[in-house]
Amino acid sequence: GAGVSQSPRYKVAKRGQDVALRCDPISGHVSLFWYQQALGQGPEFLTYFQNEAQLDKSGLPSDRFFAERPEGSVSTLKIQRTQQEDSAVYLCASSPSGTGGDSPLHFGNGTRLTVT
Amino acid sequence: QQQVKQSPQSLIVQKGGISIINCAYENTAFDYFPWYQQFPGKGPALLIAIRPDVSEKKEGRFTISFNKSAKQFSLHIMDSQPGDSATYFCAATGNFGNEKLTFGTGTRLTIIP
């Protein structure tokens, strides 16, 4: 596709519900990242995939957060038993390879999650 | 040590003026410093980036100045236009094997006529 696509754009969940956020990266992009952006803050790293391999999940806030990219393209971020502090914009980004100057990161428009 | 500190939090500049946003870092292993522009409801978009082997990089009206010894870098927007009104984030990464970007807290820039 033309860019990174994320769905849904908005998600309202009641506390305790499970949610799944989808990311369609740019076709052919090897690297895929998930970031969390709280209101008025910069994006914070959650996890990183190279193809289907999850190479870094050090930013996931708790074991309620789980991400997968089973076929090396589409990725899903799942949050179990959502809490109010999970309310944020979840950004997906992809790049041909890594994050360096020769491989710029392309962000989607994010999914805004509100937990009530 | 992984933090990137950004200032100011918000900035108002008259049309045609110069907008300056500053960032500072601690981790000397950082070797790639991009700036991102974000409009409301959109994801961040890469604006310009620099590596520490040069002290300045210019692309159109946008210039990054880099001071390796001070561990500081800044974004200058010349001839600022109302369309430049957005939130700007500095970021940094290094060869850590995980490729993750560490972002600053953002600067909300408003260009007034």
Side-chain angles (χ1 to χ4, degrees), chain B residues 6-110:
Chain B
Q6 183 171 348
S7 63
Q9 194 171 23
S10 62
L11 181 62
I12 299 174
V13 175
Q14 275 203 311
K15 179 182 173 183
I18 303 173
S19 304
I20 302 174
I21 304 170
N22 301 297
C23 283
Y25 63 97
E26 292 291 327
N27 192 338
T28 54
F30 285 148
D31 64 359
Y32 176 68
F33 302 88
W35 284 89
Y36 282 81
Q37 180 188 56
Q38 186 175 31
F39 293 104
K42 301 293 187 182
L46 179 65
L47 196 59
I48 187 172
I50 197 169
R51 291 199 179 273
D53 52 344
V54 296
S55 60
E56 186 175 282
K57 183 172 181 181
K58 184 175 180 179
E59 289 184 2
R61 296 185 295 111
F62 301 93
T63 300
I64 300 179
S65 296
F66 188 85
N67 186 331
K68 189 174 180 179
S69 61
K71 292 186 284 187
Q72 294 175 348
F73 58 110
S74 59
L75 176 69
H76 296 235
I77 306 175
M78 313 299 286
D79 186 27
S80 300
Q81 298 297 312
D84 297 331
S85 296
T87 300
Y88 292 80
F89 294 96
C90 60
T93 190
N95 188 18
F96 307 134
N98 60 12
E99 310 288 350
K100 72 179 184 184
L101 283 169
T102 298
F103 284 85
T105 49
T107 296
R108 178 173 287 188
L109 174 65
T110 304

Side-chain angles (χ1 to χ4, degrees), chain A residues 54-98:
Chain A
Q54 189 174 20
L55 298 187
D56 188 342
K57 55 182 180 180
S58 63
L60 296 176
S62 75
D63 59 7
R64 296 186 295 104
F65 286 70
F66 172 76
E68 59 183 4
R69 192 186 186 197
E71 296 177 358
S73 56
V74 171
S75 177
T76 304
L77 177 66
K78 297 179 180 177
I79 308 173
Q80 296 177 322
R81 305 182 303 280
T82 52
Q83 304 294 314
Q84 283 195 315
E85 61 263 29
D86 299 335
S87 296
V89 174
Y90 290 85
L91 294 166
C92 177
S94 71
S95 75
S97 178

Side-chain angles (χ1 to χ4, degrees), chain A residues 24-45:
Chain A
D24 280 89
I26 294 173
S27 178
H29 277 193
V30 168
S31 298
L32 185 145
F33 300 79
W34 284 98
Y35 284 82
Q36 180 190 59
Q37 186 173 25
L39 191 63
Q41 298 296 314
E44 292 202 357
F45 172 83

